[in-house]
Amino acid sequence: MTDETPNDLVLERVLNAPRAAIWRCWTEPALLEQWFCPKPWSVSDARIDLRPGGEFFTVMNGPGGERFENIGVFLDIVPGEKLVFTDAFVPGWRPNGKPFMAASVILSDTDDGRTDYVARAMHWNAETKAEHEAMGFHQGWGAAADQLEALAKTL
Amino acid sequence: MTDETPNDLVLERVLNAPRAAIWRCWTEPALLEQWFCPKPWSVSDARIDLRPGGEFFTVMNGPGGERFENIGVFLDIVPGEKLVFTDAFVPGWRPNGKPFMAASVILSDTDDGRTDYVARAMHWNAETKAEHEAMGFHQGWGAAADQLEALAKTL
């Protein structure tokens, strides 16, 4: 078998929370800010314009005063089921920066009322994938998913 | 004044044809094939799925038997007015190849019944813009616009 998606990094989990709650955590700025970055980092100033080409903006704040702005756009939205976004464009469909990835989040119900959660980071080449992996993709997205699950359970 | 779009290449023309006819030439495969490549090159096998994320596929054929496949997706469509597409993704919003450009086509009516035509190639960096310019952007897109105008006049 050949891997048709060799430049992807994938996190798959079953989250113990309802799908609708996980969707809210991804799409409501006040909720996203609570889980999107592994602690002690945090997110502020999230802006979510949930339509194709709409803005997805966050600021990641580090414990030592670090501040990173992330801007991108949404590509595809299927409410409650699927979200795709990328940093390759800013609103107005203007190319921006050095394209790093497109990411998709796919949610589906499990038979026992939990949520199958597949978060996929899709890169344009093997070098960027390796860079993302070295930055700690699995640990970082895993820790964020733990925080997401904990928050979604409370909704 | 600073140029806020330093990585763009722009062709602006007034075309002596109705806006609706120019729109058809851009969006109907059988018409697109007749003008999209400067002769003696030609386009075959055009596929146009006119929705955000929909396929934009063409094959460019050279007089010496050259064959180049181009695949991308549409990003934004305002019927009769605006078309934006890119080669950075293939359908399904998967990153593809080395992102070369996003392109926009903006049509508006002039006071005397002709069409103001602005075709813009937007690149991710100065190197790609320079490469596109060296490939003959101005001559190539200009010759294609001549062919577009000639075809649109006949509709």
PDB file of all heavy atoms in Angstrom, chain A residues 43-66:
ATOM      1  N   VAL A  43      -4.403  31.421  24.498  1.00  0.00           N
ATOM      2  CA  VAL A  43      -4.853  32.144  23.305  1.00  0.00           C
ATOM      3  C   VAL A  43      -5.683  33.347  23.723  1.00  0.00           C
ATOM      4  O   VAL A  43      -6.480  33.270  24.660  1.00  0.00           O
ATOM      5  CB  VAL A  43      -5.683  31.212  22.400  1.00  0.00           C
ATOM      6  CG1 VAL A  43      -6.432  32.003  21.339  1.00  0.00           C
ATOM      7  CG2 VAL A  43      -4.783  30.178  21.738  1.00  0.00           C
ATOM      8  N   SER A  44      -5.459  34.448  23.037  1.00  0.00           N
ATOM      9  CA  SER A  44      -6.301  35.637  23.251  1.00  0.00           C
ATOM     10  C   SER A  44      -6.714  36.183  21.892  1.00  0.00           C
ATOM     11  O   SER A  44      -6.182  35.780  20.856  1.00  0.00           O
ATOM     12  CB  SER A  44      -5.534  36.706  24.030  1.00  0.00           C
ATOM     13  OG  SER A  44      -4.413  37.143  23.286  1.00  0.00           O
ATOM     14  N   ASP A  45      -7.663  37.088  21.906  1.00  0.00           N
ATOM     15  CA  ASP A  45      -8.041  37.820  20.686  1.00  0.00           C
ATOM     16  C   ASP A  45      -8.466  36.931  19.527  1.00  0.00           C
ATOM     17  O   ASP A  45      -8.162  37.242  18.371  1.00  0.00           O
ATOM     18  CB  ASP A  45      -6.868  38.704  20.222  1.00  0.00           C
ATOM     19  CG  ASP A  45      -6.350  39.601  21.334  1.00  0.00           C
ATOM     20  OD1 ASP A  45      -7.116  40.445  21.796  1.00  0.00           O
ATOM     21  OD2 ASP A  45      -5.187  39.444  21.743  1.00  0.00           O
ATOM     22  N   ALA A  46      -9.119  35.824  19.820  1.00  0.00           N
ATOM     23  CA  ALA A  46      -9.559  34.958  18.725  1.00  0.00           C
ATOM     24  C   ALA A  46     -10.668  35.636  17.921  1.00  0.00           C
ATOM     25  O   ALA A  46     -11.567  36.254  18.486  1.00  0.00           O
ATOM     26  CB  ALA A  46     -10.049  33.630  19.284  1.00  0.00           C
ATOM     27  N   ARG A  47     -10.548  35.538  16.604  1.00  0.00           N
ATOM     28  CA  ARG A  47     -11.615  36.017  15.716  1.00  0.00           C
ATOM     29  C   ARG A  47     -11.967  34.888  14.759  1.00  0.00           C
ATOM     30  O   ARG A  47     -11.073  34.293  14.123  1.00  0.00           O
ATOM     31  CB  ARG A  47     -11.159  37.252  14.928  1.00  0.00           C
ATOM     32  CG  ARG A  47     -10.944  38.476  15.804  1.00  0.00           C
ATOM     33  CD  ARG A  47     -10.913  39.775  14.975  1.00  0.00           C
ATOM     34  NE  ARG A  47      -9.808  39.841  14.040  1.00  0.00           N
ATOM     35  CZ  ARG A  47      -8.632  40.424  14.294  1.00  0.00           C
ATOM     36  NH1 ARG A  47      -8.413  40.985  15.475  1.00  0.00           N
ATOM     37  NH2 ARG A  47      -7.685  40.459  13.385  1.00  0.00           N
ATOM     38  N   ILE A  48     -13.246  34.584  14.649  1.00  0.00           N
ATOM     39  CA  ILE A  48     -13.714  33.463  13.842  1.00  0.00           C
ATOM     40  C   ILE A  48     -14.857  33.941  12.968  1.00  0.00           C
ATOM     41  O   ILE A  48     -15.925  34.271  13.482  1.00  0.00           O
ATOM     42  CB  ILE A  48     -14.175  32.300  14.754  1.00  0.00           C
ATOM     43  CG1 ILE A  48     -12.960  31.694  15.483  1.00  0.00           C
ATOM     44  CG2 ILE A  48     -14.911  31.237  13.957  1.00  0.00           C
ATOM     45  CD1 ILE A  48     -13.319  30.631  16.501  1.00  0.00           C
ATOM     46  N   ASP A  49     -14.622  34.000  11.683  1.00  0.00           N
ATOM     47  CA  ASP A  49     -15.661  34.387  10.726  1.00  0.00           C
ATOM     48  C   ASP A  49     -15.971  33.133   9.913  1.00  0.00           C
ATOM     49  O   ASP A  49     -15.302  32.822   8.926  1.00  0.00           O
ATOM     50  CB  ASP A  49     -15.126  35.517   9.840  1.00  0.00           C
ATOM     51  CG  ASP A  49     -16.149  35.991   8.836  1.00  0.00           C
ATOM     52  OD1 ASP A  49     -17.319  35.556   8.916  1.00  0.00           O
ATOM     53  OD2 ASP A  49     -15.779  36.789   7.954  1.00  0.00           O
ATOM     54  N   LEU A  50     -17.000  32.431  10.367  1.00  0.00           N
ATOM     55  CA  LEU A  50     -17.203  31.047   9.936  1.00  0.00           C
ATOM     56  C   LEU A  50     -17.882  30.931   8.568  1.00  0.00           C
ATOM     57  O   LEU A  50     -19.058  30.582   8.464  1.00  0.00           O
ATOM     58  CB  LEU A  50     -18.032  30.328  11.018  1.00  0.00           C
ATOM     59  CG  LEU A  50     -17.829  28.827  11.141  1.00  0.00           C
ATOM     60  CD1 LEU A  50     -16.383  28.497  11.475  1.00  0.00           C
ATOM     61  CD2 LEU A  50     -18.759  28.252  12.211  1.00  0.00           C
ATOM     62  N   ARG A  51     -17.108  31.243   7.538  1.00  0.00           N
ATOM     63  CA  ARG A  51     -17.567  31.066   6.154  1.00  0.00           C
ATOM     64  C   ARG A  51     -16.334  30.889   5.283  1.00  0.00           C
ATOM     65  O   ARG A  51     -15.231  31.290   5.688  1.00  0.00           O
ATOM     66  CB  ARG A  51     -18.388  32.283   5.699  1.00  0.00           C
ATOM     67  CG  ARG A  51     -17.627  33.568   5.820  1.00  0.00           C
ATOM     68  CD  ARG A  51     -18.509  34.788   5.596  1.00  0.00           C
ATOM     69  NE  ARG A  51     -17.712  35.997   5.791  1.00  0.00           N
ATOM     70  CZ  ARG A  51     -17.029  36.624   4.818  1.00  0.00           C
ATOM     71  NH1 ARG A  51     -17.037  36.157   3.592  1.00  0.00           N
ATOM     72  NH2 ARG A  51     -16.317  37.703   5.096  1.00  0.00           N
ATOM     73  N   PRO A  52     -16.488  30.282   4.097  1.00  0.00           N
ATOM     74  CA  PRO A  52     -15.317  30.113   3.232  1.00  0.00           C
ATOM     75  C   PRO A  52     -14.659  31.456   2.935  1.00  0.00           C
ATOM     76  O   PRO A  52     -15.329  32.397   2.509  1.00  0.00           O
ATOM     77  CB  PRO A  52     -15.907  29.481   1.964  1.00  0.00           C
ATOM     78  CG  PRO A  52     -17.146  28.790   2.440  1.00  0.00           C
ATOM     79  CD  PRO A  52     -17.705  29.674   3.526  1.00  0.00           C
ATOM     80  N   GLY A  53     -13.385  31.555   3.199  1.00  0.00           N
ATOM     81  CA  GLY A  53     -12.664  32.814   3.022  1.00  0.00           C
ATOM     82  C   GLY A  53     -12.717  33.707   4.246  1.00  0.00           C
ATOM     83  O   GLY A  53     -12.061  34.745   4.269  1.00  0.00           O
ATOM     84  N   GLY A  54     -13.495  33.324   5.251  1.00  0.00           N
ATOM     85  CA  GLY A  54     -13.625  34.141   6.462  1.00  0.00           C
ATOM     86  C   GLY A  54     -12.396  34.012   7.350  1.00  0.00           C
ATOM     87  O   GLY A  54     -11.685  33.007   7.332  1.00  0.00           O
ATOM     88  N   GLU A  55     -12.188  35.030   8.151  1.00  0.00           N
ATOM     89  CA  GLU A  55     -10.969  35.118   8.965  1.00  0.00           C
ATOM     90  C   GLU A  55     -10.941  34.106  10.118  1.00  0.00           C
ATOM     91  O   GLU A  55     -11.946  33.899  10.808  1.00  0.00           O
ATOM     92  CB  GLU A  55     -10.876  36.531   9.545  1.00  0.00           C
ATOM     93  CG  GLU A  55      -9.631  36.778  10.378  1.00  0.00           C
ATOM     94  CD  GLU A  55      -9.593  38.193  10.957  1.00  0.00           C
ATOM     95  OE1 GLU A  55     -10.658  38.730  11.310  1.00  0.00           O
ATOM     96  OE2 GLU A  55      -8.488  38.762  11.044  1.00  0.00           O
ATOM     97  N   PHE A  56      -9.758  33.520  10.329  1.00  0.00           N
ATOM     98  CA  PHE A  56      -9.487  32.733  11.527  1.00  0.00           C
ATOM     99  C   PHE A  56      -8.198  33.300  12.116  1.00  0.00           C
ATOM    100  O   PHE A  56      -7.111  33.070  11.592  1.00  0.00           O
ATOM    101  CB  PHE A  56      -9.323  31.249  11.170  1.00  0.00           C
ATOM    102  CG  PHE A  56      -9.157  30.347  12.368  1.00  0.00           C
ATOM    103  CD1 PHE A  56      -9.586  30.721  13.631  1.00  0.00           C
ATOM    104  CD2 PHE A  56      -8.592  29.085  12.219  1.00  0.00           C
ATOM    105  CE1 PHE A  56      -9.448  29.879  14.733  1.00  0.00           C
ATOM    106  CE2 PHE A  56      -8.437  28.236  13.314  1.00  0.00           C
ATOM    107  CZ  PHE A  56      -8.867  28.636  14.572  1.00  0.00           C
ATOM    108  N   PHE A  57      -8.362  34.077  13.179  1.00  0.00           N
ATOM    109  CA  PHE A  57      -7.233  34.788  13.768  1.00  0.00           C
ATOM    110  C   PHE A  57      -7.125  34.436  15.241  1.00  0.00           C
ATOM    111  O   PHE A  57      -8.129  34.409  15.959  1.00  0.00           O
ATOM    112  CB  PHE A  57      -7.458  36.306  13.630  1.00  0.00           C
ATOM    113  CG  PHE A  57      -6.411  37.162  14.288  1.00  0.00           C
ATOM    114  CD1 PHE A  57      -5.213  37.436  13.638  1.00  0.00           C
ATOM    115  CD2 PHE A  57      -6.612  37.688  15.561  1.00  0.00           C
ATOM    116  CE1 PHE A  57      -4.246  38.231  14.248  1.00  0.00           C
ATOM    117  CE2 PHE A  57      -5.647  38.485  16.169  1.00  0.00           C
ATOM    118  CZ  PHE A  57      -4.453  38.751  15.512  1.00  0.00           C
ATOM    119  N   THR A  58      -5.911  34.165  15.681  1.00  0.00           N
ATOM    120  CA  THR A  58      -5.664  33.941  17.111  1.00  0.00           C
ATOM    121  C   THR A  58      -4.316  34.557  17.478  1.00  0.00           C
ATOM    122  O   THR A  58      -3.437  34.722  16.622  1.00  0.00           O
ATOM    123  CB  THR A  58      -5.594  32.440  17.466  1.00  0.00           C
ATOM    124  OG1 THR A  58      -4.587  31.804  16.661  1.00  0.00           O
ATOM    125  CG2 THR A  58      -6.929  31.735  17.256  1.00  0.00           C
ATOM    126  N   VAL A  59      -4.181  34.901  18.737  1.00  0.00           N
ATOM    127  CA  VAL A  59      -2.884  35.298  19.272  1.00  0.00           C
ATOM    128  C   VAL A  59      -2.495  34.277  20.344  1.00  0.00           C
ATOM    129  O   VAL A  59      -3.287  34.000  21.254  1.00  0.00           O
ATOM    130  CB  VAL A  59      -2.923  36.699  19.897  1.00  0.00           C
ATOM    131  CG1 VAL A  59      -1.538  37.065  20.454  1.00  0.00           C
ATOM    132  CG2 VAL A  59      -3.351  37.733  18.869  1.00  0.00           C
ATOM    133  N   MET A  60      -1.298  33.703  20.181  1.00  0.00           N
ATOM    134  CA  MET A  60      -0.793  32.755  21.169  1.00  0.00           C
ATOM    135  C   MET A  60       0.185  33.480  22.088  1.00  0.00           C
ATOM    136  O   MET A  60       1.119  34.137  21.620  1.00  0.00           O
ATOM    137  CB  MET A  60      -0.111  31.591  20.468  1.00  0.00           C
ATOM    138  CG  MET A  60      -1.090  30.813  19.596  1.00  0.00           C
ATOM    139  SD  MET A  60      -0.419  29.250  18.989  1.00  0.00           S
ATOM    140  CE  MET A  60      -1.887  28.573  18.175  1.00  0.00           C
ATOM    141  N   ASN A  61      -0.070  33.358  23.388  1.00  0.00           N
ATOM    142  CA  ASN A  61       0.723  34.079  24.382  1.00  0.00           C
ATOM    143  C   ASN A  61       1.508  33.099  25.245  1.00  0.00           C
ATOM    144  O   ASN A  61       0.926  32.160  25.809  1.00  0.00           O
ATOM    145  CB  ASN A  61      -0.201  34.902  25.290  1.00  0.00           C
ATOM    146  CG  ASN A  61      -1.089  35.831  24.474  1.00  0.00           C
ATOM    147  OD1 ASN A  61      -0.669  36.904  24.064  1.00  0.00           O
ATOM    148  ND2 ASN A  61      -2.310  35.389  24.213  1.00  0.00           N
ATOM    149  N   GLY A  62       2.807  33.320  25.347  1.00  0.00           N
ATOM    150  CA  GLY A  62       3.648  32.430  26.147  1.00  0.00           C
ATOM    151  C   GLY A  62       3.842  32.948  27.553  1.00  0.00           C
ATOM    152  O   GLY A  62       3.613  34.135  27.835  1.00  0.00           O
ATOM    153  N   PRO A  63       4.287  32.051  28.451  1.00  0.00           N
ATOM    154  CA  PRO A  63       4.458  32.417  29.858  1.00  0.00           C
ATOM    155  C   PRO A  63       5.561  33.456  30.066  1.00  0.00           C
ATOM    156  O   PRO A  63       5.600  34.133  31.092  1.00  0.00           O
ATOM    157  CB  PRO A  63       4.807  31.088  30.532  1.00  0.00           C
ATOM    158  CG  PRO A  63       5.330  30.219  29.442  1.00  0.00           C
ATOM    159  CD  PRO A  63       4.625  30.639  28.194  1.00  0.00           C
ATOM    160  N   GLY A  64       6.456  33.586  29.100  1.00  0.00           N
ATOM    161  CA  GLY A  64       7.522  34.576  29.221  1.00  0.00           C
ATOM    162  C   GLY A  64       7.215  35.858  28.458  1.00  0.00           C
ATOM    163  O   GLY A  64       8.119  36.649  28.182  1.00  0.00           O
ATOM    164  N   GLY A  65       5.936  36.055  28.104  1.00  0.00           N
ATOM    165  CA  GLY A  65       5.552  37.264  27.389  1.00  0.00           C
ATOM    166  C   GLY A  65       5.611  37.125  25.874  1.00  0.00           C
ATOM    167  O   GLY A  65       5.410  38.087  25.146  1.00  0.00           O
ATOM    168  N   GLU A  66       5.891  35.917  25.404  1.00  0.00           N
ATOM    169  CA  GLU A  66       5.896  35.707  23.950  1.00  0.00           C
ATOM    170  C   GLU A  66       4.510  35.986  23.387  1.00  0.00           C
ATOM    171  O   GLU A  66       3.498  35.764  24.051  1.00  0.00           O
ATOM    172  CB  GLU A  66       6.263  34.252  23.612  1.00  0.00           C
ATOM    173  CG  GLU A  66       7.601  33.796  24.152  1.00  0.00           C
ATOM    174  CD  GLU A  66       7.493  33.153  25.545  1.00  0.00           C
ATOM    175  OE1 GLU A  66       6.512  33.450  26.274  1.00  0.00           O
ATOM    176  OE2 GLU A  66       8.396  32.384  25.899  1.00  0.00           O
TER     177      GLU A  66
END
